[in-house]
Amino acid sequence: VSYFSHITTVIMFRFFALVYFGASSVGAFSVQPQVLSGSVLFSKKSDAADAVAAPAFCVGTLVEFVEKKRVHVGKILESETNIGGAARYEIEDNEGRQYHVADKAVSFAILAPNSPAAALKLFDEFCEASKVSEKDLRAKLDISTDLLELAWEESGETEDHLLTAPQLVELVHSHVGSAIEKYMAWKLLRSETAHVYFKEMKDHGRVVAFKAKARDAVAASKAAFCRDHGDSDLCVV
């Protein structure tokens, strides 16, 4: 990419960011969790543990979940709620393996289309996206480390300093992201590179938004990151 092309991209990004976050400041946009519609964000696990139980996901929902410290994706076959109000799910992955997990094990969810064919197609795309590396996430989303830094700068100028995955897609590309684009953006914002700029925020124990770090915290995080990842685009001057 030429220098002038890069400058043009930066100018366009800043123009749209001004429009986007300007609208957000007057209520046209708000932080919407990717996995549920709760309104409270938590930055610590203890905060989430004290919260009211999250609403259960319905049968057919596509989810990323953690089981025995391994990340899987699958489709909810059954959903039940115990007497204490906590939900549990029976989930089947794309190879037919079934898991029984608590609601707190679910990290991301996508509502499936009503059409069986469309739901199957989305599930296949979801499974594929779950395996994508950070480098390939940036390529597929067309979000470079420079654009990630610009997103941090712009979200840092907002009142709450928060950025969600859907907002990142819309901010960079000026369109509402697809379910898979939002999922990949969420994964990108949870990457080591993004952690240089953002702190994860939680709702009912699930990461739903990302708070822009202060400039001095970013400088310290970047220095630590580049000691171990000197060949990263983020560290190349």
Side-chain angles (χ1 to χ4, degrees):
V1 179
S2 70
Y3 173 78
F4 291 107
S5 177
H6 174 71
I7 292 299
T8 300
T9 300
V10 171
I11 292 173
M12 291 179 66
F13 183 96
R14 291 195 178 279
F15 172 75
F16 185 69
L18 179 63
V19 174
Y20 183 90
F21 284 117
S24 179
S25 66
V26 295
F29 295 92
S30 61
V31 173
Q32 294 296 325
Q34 286 79 64
V35 292
L36 69 163
S37 58
S39 59
V40 182
L41 295 173
F42 303 105
S43 59
K44 298 186 298 182
K45 290 182 179 179
S46 58
D47 294 334
D50 293 335
V52 176
F57 298 116
C58 62
V59 171
T61 301
L62 310 181
V63 294
E64 178 190 285
F65 63 99
V66 178
E67 189 263 350
K68 296 181 179 178
K69 298 183 179 181
R70 295 181 180 179
V71 177
H72 307 271
V73 294
K75 177 174 63 176
I76 294 178
L77 299 180
E78 292 185 15
S79 174
E80 60 183 22
T81 305
N82 64 25
I83 193 170
R88 291 191 64 84
Y89 309 106
E90 180 180 338
I91 302 173
E92 183 176 77
D93 67 15
N94 64 326
E95 295 183 359
R97 291 186 292 261
Q98 295 184 3
Y99 305 82
H100 292 82
V101 302
D103 179 81
K104 64 182 180 181
V106 176
S107 49
F108 195 95
I110 300 175
L111 290 177
N114 291 327
S115 165
L120 180 59
K121 181 176 183 294
L122 181 61
F123 185 39
D124 289 342
E125 293 173 351
F126 187 36
C127 293
E128 188 64 30
S130 71
K131 305 171 186 175
V132 175
S133 67
E134 179 187 338
K135 180 179 180 180
D136 288 341
L137 281 173
R138 293 201 303 268
K140 286 179 178 293
L141 290 167
D142 196 19
I143 298 178
S144 64
T145 52
D146 287 341
L147 287 177
L148 197 60
E149 183 173 1
L150 285 170
W152 161 71
E153 290 179 352
E154 298 302 334
S155 59
E157 296 296 322
T158 63
E159 184 176 349
D160 57 13
H161 309 311
L162 293 177
L163 181 71
T164 66
Q167 287 175 336
L168 176 61
V169 175
E170 191 165 352
L171 178 62
V172 173
H173 297 303
S174 306
H175 71 254
V176 176
S178 68
I180 298 302
E181 284 179 315
K182 293 173 185 177
Y183 173 60
M184 291 195 297
W186 178 80
K187 283 173 62 68
L188 179 60
L189 285 167
R190 298 199 69 193
S191 67
E192 283 190 88
T193 302
H195 282 168
V196 170
Y197 298 107
F198 297 96
K199 178 181 179 180
E200 295 180 351
M201 304 298 288
K202 296 182 178 182
D203 184 0
H204 294 98
R206 284 184 270 270
V207 176
V208 297
F210 304 84
K211 187 170 186 177
K213 293 182 179 179
R215 194 167 294 275
D216 57 346
V218 168
S221 294
K222 186 174 183 179
F225 176 86
C226 290
R227 281 197 293 271
D228 297 326
H229 306 83
D231 58 345
S232 168
D233 293 344
L234 185 64
C235 307
V236 177
V237 179

